[in-house]
Short mmCIF file of all heavy atoms in Angstrom, two decimals:
data_model
loop_
_atom_site.label_atom_id
_atom_site.label_comp_id
_atom_site.label_asym_id
_atom_site.label_seq_id
_atom_site.Cartn_x
_atom_site.Cartn_y
_atom_site.Cartn_z
N MET A 1 -1.15 5.96 -18.82
CA MET A 1 -0.16 5.33 -18.02
C MET A 1 1.03 6.27 -17.82
O MET A 1 1.50 6.79 -18.72
CB MET A 1 0.26 3.99 -18.62
CG MET A 1 1.17 3.19 -17.77
SD MET A 1 1.45 1.51 -18.30
CE MET A 1 -0.07 0.76 -17.79
N GLY A 2 1.52 6.30 -16.59
CA GLY A 2 2.59 7.14 -16.27
C GLY A 2 3.94 6.50 -16.23
O GLY A 2 4.09 5.36 -16.63
N TYR A 3 4.93 7.20 -15.74
CA TYR A 3 6.27 6.74 -15.64
C TYR A 3 6.79 6.89 -14.24
O TYR A 3 6.42 7.81 -13.47
CB TYR A 3 7.22 7.55 -16.56
CG TYR A 3 7.02 7.22 -18.04
CD1 TYR A 3 5.99 7.70 -18.76
CD2 TYR A 3 7.94 6.37 -18.65
CE1 TYR A 3 5.84 7.37 -20.09
CE2 TYR A 3 7.82 6.03 -19.98
CZ TYR A 3 6.73 6.52 -20.69
OH TYR A 3 6.59 6.16 -22.01
N LEU A 4 7.68 6.01 -13.85
CA LEU A 4 8.34 6.00 -12.56
C LEU A 4 9.80 6.36 -12.75
O LEU A 4 10.45 5.86 -13.68
CB LEU A 4 8.26 4.67 -11.81
CG LEU A 4 6.88 3.99 -11.70
CD1 LEU A 4 7.00 2.62 -11.12
CD2 LEU A 4 6.00 4.87 -10.78
N ILE A 5 10.30 7.18 -11.85
CA ILE A 5 11.71 7.50 -11.90
C ILE A 5 12.37 6.90 -10.66
O ILE A 5 11.88 7.06 -9.51
CB ILE A 5 11.99 9.03 -11.90
CG1 ILE A 5 11.46 9.64 -13.25
CG2 ILE A 5 13.40 9.40 -11.80
CD1 ILE A 5 10.13 10.17 -13.21
N PHE A 6 13.46 6.16 -10.85
CA PHE A 6 14.14 5.45 -9.76
C PHE A 6 15.64 5.39 -10.02
O PHE A 6 16.13 5.69 -11.12
CB PHE A 6 13.57 4.04 -9.64
CG PHE A 6 13.88 3.15 -10.81
CD1 PHE A 6 15.01 2.37 -10.81
CD2 PHE A 6 13.08 3.20 -11.96
CE1 PHE A 6 15.20 1.53 -11.89
CE2 PHE A 6 13.35 2.41 -13.05
CZ PHE A 6 14.48 1.55 -13.04
N LYS A 7 16.38 5.06 -8.99
CA LYS A 7 17.83 4.83 -9.11
C LYS A 7 18.12 3.39 -9.28
O LYS A 7 17.50 2.53 -8.56
CB LYS A 7 18.54 5.35 -7.87
CG LYS A 7 18.72 6.83 -7.86
CD LYS A 7 19.69 7.26 -6.79
CE LYS A 7 19.92 8.70 -6.83
NZ LYS A 7 20.98 9.14 -5.87
N CYS A 8 19.02 3.00 -10.16
CA CYS A 8 19.47 1.68 -10.30
C CYS A 8 20.03 1.10 -8.99
O CYS A 8 20.83 1.81 -8.38
CB CYS A 8 20.49 1.57 -11.43
SG CYS A 8 21.20 -0.10 -11.60
N ARG A 9 19.66 -0.06 -8.64
CA ARG A 9 20.13 -0.63 -7.37
C ARG A 9 21.60 -1.03 -7.44
O ARG A 9 22.28 -1.21 -6.39
CB ARG A 9 19.29 -1.84 -7.00
CG ARG A 9 17.90 -1.46 -6.59
CD ARG A 9 16.96 -2.64 -6.41
NE ARG A 9 17.44 -3.61 -5.42
CZ ARG A 9 17.16 -3.60 -4.12
NH1 ARG A 9 16.46 -2.71 -3.60
NH2 ARG A 9 17.70 -4.60 -3.38
N THR A 10 22.18 -1.14 -8.65
CA THR A 10 23.57 -1.54 -8.85
C THR A 10 24.47 -0.31 -8.97
O THR A 10 25.42 -0.15 -8.24
CB THR A 10 23.70 -2.46 -10.04
OG1 THR A 10 22.91 -3.62 -9.85
CG2 THR A 10 25.15 -2.89 -10.22
N CYS A 11 24.16 0.54 -9.94
CA CYS A 11 25.07 1.67 -10.23
C CYS A 11 24.63 2.99 -9.63
O CYS A 11 25.36 3.97 -9.63
CB CYS A 11 25.34 1.81 -11.70
SG CYS A 11 23.94 2.34 -12.65
N GLY A 12 23.40 3.12 -9.31
CA GLY A 12 22.86 4.38 -8.72
C GLY A 12 22.43 5.48 -9.74
O GLY A 12 22.09 6.54 -9.31
N LYS A 13 22.46 5.14 -10.98
CA LYS A 13 22.05 6.12 -12.04
C LYS A 13 20.55 6.20 -12.08
O LYS A 13 19.85 5.24 -11.80
CB LYS A 13 22.57 5.72 -13.41
CG LYS A 13 24.10 5.61 -13.49
CD LYS A 13 24.71 6.98 -13.66
CE LYS A 13 26.20 6.78 -13.91
NZ LYS A 13 26.82 8.00 -14.31
N LEU A 14 20.05 7.38 -12.49
CA LEU A 14 18.65 7.58 -12.59
C LEU A 14 18.09 6.89 -13.85
O LEU A 14 18.67 6.96 -14.91
CB LEU A 14 18.29 9.04 -12.68
CG LEU A 14 18.59 9.88 -11.35
CD1 LEU A 14 18.55 11.33 -11.63
CD2 LEU A 14 17.61 9.48 -10.27
N ASN A 15 16.94 6.26 -13.68
CA ASN A 15 16.27 5.54 -14.75
C ASN A 15 14.79 5.81 -14.72
O ASN A 15 14.27 6.29 -13.69
CB ASN A 15 16.47 4.04 -14.61
CG ASN A 15 17.81 3.55 -15.03
OD1 ASN A 15 18.02 3.22 -16.22
ND2 ASN A 15 18.74 3.52 -14.08
N MET A 16 14.12 5.47 -15.80
CA MET A 16 12.61 5.61 -15.80
C MET A 16 12.04 4.35 -16.42
O MET A 16 12.66 3.61 -17.15
CB MET A 16 12.18 6.82 -16.59
CG MET A 16 12.33 6.72 -18.10
SD MET A 16 11.56 8.10 -18.91
CE MET A 16 13.06 8.92 -19.46
N SER A 17 10.81 4.06 -15.99
CA SER A 17 10.09 2.95 -16.56
C SER A 17 8.57 3.24 -16.57
O SER A 17 8.11 4.08 -15.76
CB SER A 17 10.31 1.66 -15.75
OG SER A 17 9.70 1.73 -14.50
N LYS A 18 7.84 2.56 -17.41
CA LYS A 18 6.41 2.74 -17.44
C LYS A 18 5.83 2.10 -16.20
O LYS A 18 6.28 1.07 -15.74
CB LYS A 18 5.81 2.05 -18.70
CG LYS A 18 6.12 2.83 -19.94
CD LYS A 18 5.41 2.17 -21.12
CE LYS A 18 5.78 2.89 -22.43
NZ LYS A 18 5.14 2.23 -23.56
N GLU A 19 4.79 2.73 -15.62
CA GLU A 19 4.09 2.16 -14.52
C GLU A 19 3.50 0.81 -14.93
O GLU A 19 3.06 0.63 -16.09
CB GLU A 19 2.94 3.04 -14.06
CG GLU A 19 3.42 4.20 -13.27
CD GLU A 19 2.29 5.03 -12.67
OE1 GLU A 19 1.49 5.52 -13.46
OE2 GLU A 19 2.23 5.17 -11.46
N GLY A 20 3.56 -0.16 -14.09
CA GLY A 20 3.02 -1.51 -14.39
C GLY A 20 4.10 -2.52 -14.78
O GLY A 20 3.84 -3.68 -14.77
N GLN A 21 5.27 -2.03 -15.23
CA GLN A 21 6.39 -2.95 -15.50
C GLN A 21 6.86 -3.58 -14.22
O GLN A 21 6.82 -3.02 -13.19
CB GLN A 21 7.53 -2.18 -16.16
CG GLN A 21 7.39 -1.95 -17.61
CD GLN A 21 8.71 -1.38 -18.21
OE1 GLN A 21 8.78 -0.17 -18.46
NE2 GLN A 21 9.73 -2.17 -18.34
N LYS A 22 7.36 -4.81 -14.39
CA LYS A 22 7.81 -5.54 -13.24
C LYS A 22 9.32 -5.46 -13.10
O LYS A 22 9.80 -5.38 -11.98
CB LYS A 22 7.40 -7.04 -13.27
CG LYS A 22 5.95 -7.13 -13.18
CD LYS A 22 5.51 -8.61 -13.09
CE LYS A 22 4.01 -8.63 -13.02
NZ LYS A 22 3.49 -9.83 -12.44
N THR A 23 10.01 -5.36 -14.22
CA THR A 23 11.49 -5.25 -14.18
C THR A 23 11.93 -4.25 -15.23
O THR A 23 11.21 -3.95 -16.18
CB THR A 23 12.26 -6.59 -14.43
OG1 THR A 23 11.85 -7.03 -15.74
CG2 THR A 23 11.90 -7.63 -13.37
N LYS A 24 13.12 -3.69 -15.08
CA LYS A 24 13.69 -2.73 -16.01
C LYS A 24 15.17 -2.91 -16.04
O LYS A 24 15.81 -2.96 -14.95
CB LYS A 24 13.31 -1.35 -15.59
CG LYS A 24 13.87 -0.23 -16.43
CD LYS A 24 13.30 -0.15 -17.80
CE LYS A 24 13.77 1.05 -18.54
NZ LYS A 24 13.32 1.20 -19.88
N LEU A 25 15.76 -3.04 -17.22
CA LEU A 25 17.22 -3.08 -17.33
C LEU A 25 17.76 -1.69 -17.25
O LEU A 25 17.20 -0.76 -17.91
CB LEU A 25 17.65 -3.70 -18.67
CG LEU A 25 17.34 -5.19 -18.87
CD1 LEU A 25 17.80 -5.64 -20.23
CD2 LEU A 25 18.00 -6.04 -17.75
N CYS A 26 18.82 -1.51 -16.49
CA CYS A 26 19.42 -0.17 -16.34
C CYS A 26 20.05 0.23 -17.71
O CYS A 26 20.71 -0.60 -18.34
CB CYS A 26 20.52 -0.22 -15.29
SG CYS A 26 21.45 1.38 -15.14
N ALA A 27 19.79 1.42 -18.11
CA ALA A 27 20.30 1.94 -19.37
C ALA A 27 21.79 2.12 -19.37
O ALA A 27 22.42 2.26 -20.40
CB ALA A 27 19.58 3.21 -19.77
N PHE A 28 22.36 2.17 -18.17
CA PHE A 28 23.82 2.49 -18.01
C PHE A 28 24.66 1.22 -17.77
O PHE A 28 25.69 1.01 -18.42
CB PHE A 28 24.03 3.47 -16.91
CG PHE A 28 23.31 4.77 -17.14
CD1 PHE A 28 22.01 4.97 -16.59
CD2 PHE A 28 23.80 5.75 -17.98
CE1 PHE A 28 21.32 6.14 -16.87
CE2 PHE A 28 23.12 6.87 -18.23
CZ PHE A 28 21.87 7.08 -17.67
N CYS A 29 24.23 0.37 -16.78
CA CYS A 29 25.09 -0.77 -16.45
C CYS A 29 24.48 -2.11 -16.89
O CYS A 29 25.12 -3.14 -16.80
CB CYS A 29 25.37 -0.83 -14.96
SG CYS A 29 23.95 -1.19 -13.93
N GLY A 30 23.20 -2.11 -17.31
CA GLY A 30 22.57 -3.35 -17.79
C GLY A 30 22.01 -4.17 -16.67
O GLY A 30 21.45 -5.28 -16.98
N ALA A 31 22.06 -3.77 -15.43
CA ALA A 31 21.54 -4.55 -14.33
C ALA A 31 20.00 -4.62 -14.40
O ALA A 31 19.35 -3.69 -14.87
CB ALA A 31 21.93 -3.92 -13.00
N LYS A 32 19.48 -5.79 -13.97
CA LYS A 32 18.08 -5.96 -14.02
C LYS A 32 17.53 -5.47 -12.65
O LYS A 32 17.88 -5.96 -11.59
CB LYS A 32 17.75 -7.46 -14.17
CG LYS A 32 16.30 -7.75 -14.30
CD LYS A 32 16.09 -9.25 -14.58
CE LYS A 32 14.67 -9.59 -14.68
NZ LYS A 32 14.51 -11.08 -14.94
N ASN A 33 16.65 -4.48 -12.69
CA ASN A 33 16.00 -3.91 -11.54
C ASN A 33 14.58 -4.44 -11.36
O ASN A 33 13.77 -4.24 -12.25
CB ASN A 33 16.03 -2.41 -11.59
CG ASN A 33 17.35 -1.73 -11.42
OD1 ASN A 33 17.83 -1.59 -10.31
ND2 ASN A 33 18.01 -1.47 -12.53
N ASN A 34 14.32 -5.04 -10.21
CA ASN A 34 13.00 -5.47 -9.88
C ASN A 34 12.31 -4.23 -9.37
O ASN A 34 12.64 -3.71 -8.28
CB ASN A 34 13.05 -6.57 -8.81
CG ASN A 34 11.71 -7.08 -8.40
OD1 ASN A 34 10.66 -6.41 -8.63
ND2 ASN A 34 11.69 -8.28 -7.84
N LEU A 35 11.28 -3.76 -10.06
CA LEU A 35 10.65 -2.47 -9.74
C LEU A 35 9.85 -2.47 -8.45
O LEU A 35 9.51 -1.45 -7.88
CB LEU A 35 9.81 -2.02 -10.92
CG LEU A 35 10.62 -1.71 -12.19
CD1 LEU A 35 9.73 -1.26 -13.31
CD2 LEU A 35 11.72 -0.69 -11.92
N SER A 36 9.56 -3.68 -7.92
CA SER A 36 8.85 -3.75 -6.68
C SER A 36 9.84 -3.51 -5.51
O SER A 36 9.46 -3.30 -4.37
CB SER A 36 8.15 -5.08 -6.47
OG SER A 36 9.09 -6.14 -6.45
N ARG A 37 11.16 -3.54 -5.79
CA ARG A 37 12.17 -3.39 -4.76
C ARG A 37 12.93 -2.06 -4.84
O ARG A 37 13.76 -1.82 -3.99
CB ARG A 37 13.16 -4.56 -4.83
CG ARG A 37 12.45 -5.87 -4.73
CD ARG A 37 13.43 -7.06 -4.78
NE ARG A 37 13.76 -7.35 -3.34
CZ ARG A 37 14.75 -8.10 -3.00
NH1 ARG A 37 15.52 -8.63 -3.90
NH2 ARG A 37 14.93 -8.36 -1.74
N VAL A 38 12.69 -1.25 -5.89
CA VAL A 38 13.42 0.02 -6.00
C VAL A 38 12.61 1.09 -5.22
O VAL A 38 11.41 0.95 -5.05
CB VAL A 38 13.64 0.41 -7.46
CG1 VAL A 38 14.51 -0.56 -8.18
CG2 VAL A 38 12.31 0.69 -8.18
N ARG A 39 13.33 2.11 -4.86
CA ARG A 39 12.66 3.30 -4.27
C ARG A 39 12.33 4.29 -5.35
O ARG A 39 13.22 4.80 -6.05
CB ARG A 39 13.61 3.98 -3.27
CG ARG A 39 12.93 5.04 -2.42
CD ARG A 39 13.77 5.53 -1.32
NE ARG A 39 13.81 6.95 -1.42
CZ ARG A 39 14.88 7.67 -1.32
NH1 ARG A 39 16.04 7.19 -1.19
NH2 ARG A 39 14.84 9.01 -1.44
N VAL A 40 11.04 4.52 -5.52
CA VAL A 40 10.57 5.43 -6.56
C VAL A 40 10.84 6.84 -6.09
O VAL A 40 10.31 7.24 -5.01
CB VAL A 40 9.05 5.25 -6.85
CG1 VAL A 40 8.57 6.27 -7.86
CG2 VAL A 40 8.88 3.82 -7.45
N LEU A 41 11.60 7.63 -6.86
CA LEU A 41 11.91 8.99 -6.44
C LEU A 41 10.84 9.98 -6.90
O LEU A 41 10.63 11.04 -6.32
CB LEU A 41 13.26 9.42 -7.08
CG LEU A 41 14.46 8.53 -6.62
CD1 LEU A 41 15.67 8.96 -7.39
CD2 LEU A 41 14.65 8.61 -5.12
N ALA A 42 10.17 9.65 -8.03
CA ALA A 42 9.20 10.57 -8.59
C ALA A 42 8.26 9.85 -9.62
O ALA A 42 8.64 8.75 -10.04
CB ALA A 42 9.83 11.79 -9.28
N LYS A 43 7.18 10.42 -9.92
CA LYS A 43 6.30 9.92 -10.98
C LYS A 43 6.03 10.99 -11.96
O LYS A 43 6.08 12.23 -11.62
CB LYS A 43 4.97 9.45 -10.32
CG LYS A 43 5.11 8.27 -9.46
CD LYS A 43 3.75 7.75 -8.93
CE LYS A 43 3.96 6.51 -8.03
NZ LYS A 43 2.68 6.03 -7.61
N ALA A 44 5.77 10.59 -13.17
CA ALA A 44 5.54 11.57 -14.27
C ALA A 44 4.34 11.03 -15.12
O ALA A 44 4.09 9.83 -15.18
CB ALA A 44 6.76 11.77 -15.14
N LEU A 45 3.69 11.95 -15.77
CA LEU A 45 2.52 11.59 -16.57
C LEU A 45 2.93 11.02 -17.95
O LEU A 45 2.21 10.18 -18.48
CB LEU A 45 1.60 12.81 -16.78
CG LEU A 45 0.98 13.41 -15.50
CD1 LEU A 45 0.24 14.68 -15.85
CD2 LEU A 45 0.13 12.34 -14.86
N ASN A 46 4.04 11.49 -18.46
CA ASN A 46 4.46 11.07 -19.81
C ASN A 46 5.99 11.01 -19.91
O ASN A 46 6.66 11.41 -19.00
CB ASN A 46 3.79 11.90 -20.92
CG ASN A 46 4.15 13.39 -20.73
OD1 ASN A 46 5.29 13.78 -20.47
ND2 ASN A 46 3.15 14.19 -20.87
N HIS A 47 6.45 10.51 -21.04
CA HIS A 47 7.91 10.34 -21.25
C HIS A 47 8.65 11.69 -21.16
O HIS A 47 9.69 11.79 -20.50
CB HIS A 47 8.16 9.67 -22.57
CG HIS A 47 9.59 9.31 -22.80
ND1 HIS A 47 10.47 10.16 -23.44
CD2 HIS A 47 10.28 8.20 -22.44
CE1 HIS A 47 11.65 9.61 -23.53
NE2 HIS A 47 11.60 8.43 -22.92
N SER A 48 8.11 12.67 -21.76
CA SER A 48 8.69 14.02 -21.79
C SER A 48 8.84 14.55 -20.37
O SER A 48 9.88 15.15 -20.01
CB SER A 48 7.89 14.99 -22.65
OG SER A 48 8.41 16.26 -22.65
N GLU A 49 7.77 14.45 -19.63
CA GLU A 49 7.83 14.94 -18.26
C GLU A 49 8.83 14.13 -17.43
O GLU A 49 9.53 14.71 -16.60
CB GLU A 49 6.40 14.87 -17.63
CG GLU A 49 6.30 15.44 -16.20
CD GLU A 49 4.94 15.37 -15.67
OE1 GLU A 49 3.93 15.69 -16.36
OE2 GLU A 49 4.79 14.94 -14.50
N ALA A 50 8.88 12.87 -17.64
CA ALA A 50 9.86 12.01 -16.90
C ALA A 50 11.29 12.49 -17.21
O ALA A 50 12.13 12.59 -16.28
CB ALA A 50 9.66 10.58 -17.28
N ARG A 51 11.59 12.84 -18.46
CA ARG A 51 12.92 13.28 -18.79
C ARG A 51 13.24 14.61 -18.10
O ARG A 51 14.35 14.82 -17.65
CB ARG A 51 13.05 13.45 -20.30
CG ARG A 51 13.13 12.12 -21.03
CD ARG A 51 13.32 12.25 -22.44
NE ARG A 51 14.58 12.93 -22.71
CZ ARG A 51 15.00 13.33 -23.88
NH1 ARG A 51 14.26 13.09 -24.96
NH2 ARG A 51 16.15 13.92 -24.02
N GLN A 52 12.18 15.52 -17.98
CA GLN A 52 12.45 16.77 -17.31
C GLN A 52 12.71 16.56 -15.80
O GLN A 52 13.56 17.22 -15.25
CB GLN A 52 11.21 17.67 -17.45
CG GLN A 52 11.05 18.21 -18.87
CD GLN A 52 9.73 19.01 -19.03
OE1 GLN A 52 8.83 18.88 -18.24
NE2 GLN A 52 9.66 19.76 -20.15
N VAL A 53 11.97 15.66 -15.19
CA VAL A 53 12.13 15.33 -13.79
C VAL A 53 13.57 14.78 -13.59
O VAL A 53 14.25 15.17 -12.65
CB VAL A 53 11.11 14.40 -13.28
CG1 VAL A 53 11.42 13.81 -11.90
CG2 VAL A 53 9.70 14.98 -13.33
N ILE A 54 13.98 13.89 -14.43
CA ILE A 54 15.38 13.27 -14.28
C ILE A 54 16.40 14.41 -14.44
O ILE A 54 17.37 14.46 -13.62
CB ILE A 54 15.62 12.20 -15.34
CG1 ILE A 54 14.82 10.95 -14.91
CG2 ILE A 54 17.09 11.86 -15.48
CD1 ILE A 54 14.78 9.81 -15.92
N SER A 55 16.24 15.35 -15.34
CA SER A 55 17.17 16.43 -15.47
C SER A 55 17.27 17.28 -14.22
O SER A 55 18.36 17.67 -13.72
CB SER A 55 16.78 17.35 -16.67
OG SER A 55 16.95 16.65 -17.89
N LYS A 56 16.10 17.56 -13.61
CA LYS A 56 16.07 18.35 -12.39
C LYS A 56 16.72 17.65 -11.25
O LYS A 56 17.40 18.21 -10.43
CB LYS A 56 14.64 18.76 -12.09
CG LYS A 56 14.04 19.80 -12.98
CD LYS A 56 12.60 20.11 -12.64
CE LYS A 56 12.05 21.12 -13.69
NZ LYS A 56 10.68 21.42 -13.41
N LEU A 57 16.48 16.30 -11.18
CA LEU A 57 17.07 15.52 -10.11
C LEU A 57 18.57 15.47 -10.24
O LEU A 57 19.30 15.52 -9.26
CB LEU A 57 16.54 14.08 -10.09
CG LEU A 57 15.08 13.96 -9.61
CD1 LEU A 57 14.57 12.51 -9.86
CD2 LEU A 57 15.03 14.22 -8.08
N LYS A 58 19.09 15.41 -11.49
CA LYS A 58 20.55 15.44 -11.67
C LYS A 58 21.17 16.72 -11.20
O LYS A 58 22.22 16.78 -10.57
CB LYS A 58 20.89 15.20 -13.18
CG LYS A 58 20.71 13.82 -13.63
CD LYS A 58 21.04 13.66 -15.07
CE LYS A 58 20.86 12.29 -15.60
NZ LYS A 58 21.16 12.15 -17.01
N VAL A 59 20.48 17.89 -11.49
CA VAL A 59 21.00 19.18 -11.05
C VAL A 59 20.98 19.24 -9.54
O VAL A 59 21.90 19.67 -8.91
CB VAL A 59 20.12 20.29 -11.63
CG1 VAL A 59 20.43 21.64 -10.93
CG2 VAL A 59 20.32 20.37 -13.14
N TYR A 60 19.92 18.69 -8.89
CA TYR A 60 19.83 18.66 -7.43
C TYR A 60 20.97 17.84 -6.83
O TYR A 60 21.57 18.24 -5.84
CB TYR A 60 18.45 18.10 -7.02
CG TYR A 60 18.32 18.01 -5.55
CD1 TYR A 60 18.07 19.12 -4.74
CD2 TYR A 60 18.43 16.81 -4.93
CE1 TYR A 60 17.85 19.00 -3.38
CE2 TYR A 60 18.25 16.66 -3.54
CZ TYR A 60 17.99 17.78 -2.77
OH TYR A 60 17.88 17.67 -1.43
N GLU A 61 21.29 16.66 -7.42
CA GLU A 61 22.34 15.84 -6.93
C GLU A 61 23.68 16.54 -7.02
O GLU A 61 24.50 16.44 -6.12
CB GLU A 61 22.38 14.50 -7.70
CG GLU A 61 21.32 13.52 -7.38
CD GLU A 61 21.46 12.26 -8.16
OE1 GLU A 61 22.18 12.21 -9.20
OE2 GLU A 61 20.80 11.30 -7.78
N VAL A 62 23.94 17.27 -8.12
CA VAL A 62 25.21 17.97 -8.25
C VAL A 62 25.34 19.10 -7.19
O VAL A 62 26.36 19.24 -6.57
CB VAL A 62 25.34 18.57 -9.68
CG1 VAL A 62 26.50 19.54 -9.77
CG2 VAL A 62 25.47 17.44 -10.69
N LYS A 63 24.24 19.82 -7.03
CA LYS A 63 24.25 20.87 -6.00
C LYS A 63 24.47 20.26 -4.59
O LYS A 63 25.20 20.88 -3.79
CB LYS A 63 22.94 21.62 -6.04
CG LYS A 63 22.85 22.59 -7.22
CD LYS A 63 21.62 23.40 -7.14
CE LYS A 63 21.50 24.36 -8.32
NZ LYS A 63 20.27 25.17 -8.33
N ALA A 64 23.86 19.18 -4.31
CA ALA A 64 23.99 18.55 -2.98
C ALA A 64 25.46 18.07 -2.76
O ALA A 64 25.96 18.14 -1.62
CB ALA A 64 23.05 17.41 -2.85
N LYS A 65 26.13 17.57 -3.81
CA LYS A 65 27.48 17.07 -3.68
C LYS A 65 28.48 18.23 -3.51
O LYS A 65 29.58 18.10 -2.91
CB LYS A 65 27.89 16.25 -4.86
CG LYS A 65 27.25 14.91 -4.91
CD LYS A 65 27.63 14.09 -6.09
CE LYS A 65 26.97 12.76 -6.12
NZ LYS A 65 27.37 12.01 -7.34
N THR A 66 28.18 19.39 -4.09
CA THR A 66 29.15 20.52 -4.06
C THR A 66 28.93 21.43 -2.88
O THR A 66 29.74 22.35 -2.70
CB THR A 66 29.08 21.35 -5.38
OG1 THR A 66 27.77 21.83 -5.57
CG2 THR A 66 29.43 20.47 -6.55
N LYS A 67 27.90 21.24 -2.12
CA LYS A 67 27.70 22.06 -0.94
C LYS A 67 28.78 21.75 0.11
O LYS A 67 29.07 20.60 0.39
CB LYS A 67 26.30 21.79 -0.28
CG LYS A 67 25.32 22.74 -0.70
CD LYS A 67 24.06 22.54 0.12
CE LYS A 67 23.05 23.61 -0.17
NZ LYS A 67 21.81 23.45 0.54
N PRO A 68 29.32 22.82 0.73
CA PRO A 68 30.37 22.61 1.79
C PRO A 68 29.83 22.04 3.06
O PRO A 68 28.73 22.04 3.38
CB PRO A 68 30.93 24.06 2.00
CG PRO A 68 29.98 25.02 1.37
CD PRO A 68 29.11 24.21 0.48
#
């Protein structure tokens, strides 16, 4: 079973959940995210890979914000 990477619908922070889960509480703001309503940004095979993907997405977001 893999992992889904998505942004919290309330605070916009990156989160991950196991595939097949219906809801996930945001690790940052505590909001309940209905996983059928979030936009999945990426998928990963395991927890370690999901963490790596989130790290890369964070770097990408920072670069996108600092571009003139």
Side-chain angles (χ1 to χ4, degrees):
M1 185 170 283
Y3 284 80
L4 305 174
I5 292 95
F6 65 95
K7 282 190 175 186
C8 174
R9 292 172 53 92
T10 303
C11 70
K13 300 278 187 171
L14 293 168
N15 284 271
M16 72 172 109
S17 71
K18 289 183 181 177
E19 283 185 303
Q21 277 187 256
K22 294 186 181 201
T23 61
K24 175 72 175 179
L25 293 178
C26 176
F28 302 96
C29 71
K32 185 176 181 180
N33 287 277
N34 181 339
L35 297 179
S36 65
R37 302 182 95 193
V38 298
R39 188 171 130 227
V40 175
L41 301 175
K43 293 184 179 183
L45 296 175
N46 55 47
H47 186 267
S48 176
E49 184 179 314
R51 289 183 60 187
Q52 290 175 344
V53 170
I54 287 174
S55 293
K56 289 179 183 178
L57 286 171
K58 285 180 180 178
V59 169
Y60 178 77
E61 285 181 343
V62 169
K63 286 184 180 179
K65 287 181 182 178
T66 58
K67 260 190 175 177

